[in-house]
Amino acid sequence: MNKLILGFVALIIIALGALILFGANGNSILGKKAKVTFNKTVVTLDVADNEQKRETGLSGRNSLNDKQGMLFLFDEPGIPSFWMKGMKFPIDIIFLNNDKIVTIFKNVPAPATTTEIPNIYYQPTAPADKVIELKAGAADTYNLHQGDTVKVSL
């Protein structure tokens, strides 16, 4: 019985070690992670780097904490459209091109219901190759403005 318990504990330790190892490299079983620093505050971003992840985005989640967000990556600069389908909370949407902020939408409201198909789309005023979604109010908290440069680390 003790050997069985010891073996089980060893298996859990190995599994946790693997999660930590993969997480440290930015590729956990939960998906890729990125980091962005705003005024000395590091924010961890889930990475949406394919069509399915970009389409799902933050929909279905109940909230974000102050140091969480999502990074949408695109192969080349363009004018991507964002909507709030399935969103349960307001966010700030920050469009970047070459790590320079081209457009910010602050306090974008969630739709009245999570099943409502929004008819409002948010697009940058210039081509963007990355988009960051943060908890509503973050753009003001971090004093972000169009033209600012931010460093995203993948």
Side-chain angles (χ1 to χ4, degrees):
M1 182 72 162
N2 285 340
K3 287 183 181 181
L4 181 62
I5 292 171
L6 186 60
F8 183 70
V9 169
L11 184 62
I12 290 173
I13 291 171
I14 291 170
L16 288 173
L19 282 174
I20 291 169
L21 176 64
F22 286 116
N25 291 330
N27 297 312
S28 73
I29 61 170
L30 301 174
K32 294 178 184 175
K33 301 284 185 184
K35 294 192 183 301
V36 62
T37 303
F38 302 117
N39 302 324
K40 299 183 182 178
T41 301
V42 177
V43 176
T44 301
L45 306 169
D46 292 327
V47 177
D49 57 356
N50 65 43
E51 192 60 38
Q52 180 182 4
K53 290 178 185 177
R54 286 190 291 264
E55 186 175 312
T56 302
L58 294 172
S59 64
R61 294 191 193 189
N62 291 319
S63 65
L64 285 174
N65 73 36
D66 292 338
K67 294 183 181 178
Q68 280 183 308
M70 180 161 272
L71 173 67
F72 297 81
L73 297 175
F74 298 93
D75 293 332
E76 48 187 72
I79 306 292
S81 294
F82 279 67
W83 63 353
M84 297 293 285
K85 181 182 177 198
M87 289 296 295
K88 298 179 180 181
F89 56 93
I91 59 173
D92 290 348
I93 304 173
I94 303 159
F95 292 87
L96 306 170
N97 194 25
N98 293 320
D99 294 335
K100 186 175 183 177
I101 298 174
V102 296
T103 305
I104 301 175
F105 290 98
K106 298 178 182 180
N107 297 304
V108 175
T113 68
T114 58
T115 57
E116 177 184 336
I117 297 177
N119 59 0
I120 298 173
Y121 296 87
Y122 299 90
Q123 296 180 310
T125 57
D129 60 2
K130 296 178 195 74
V131 179
I132 297 174
E133 292 182 343
L134 301 169
K135 182 178 179 178
D140 287 335
T141 298
Y142 301 126
N143 197 28
L144 302 177
H145 299 93
Q146 185 175 341
D148 289 352
T149 299
V150 297
K151 182 63 178 156
V152 176
S153 303
L154 296 171

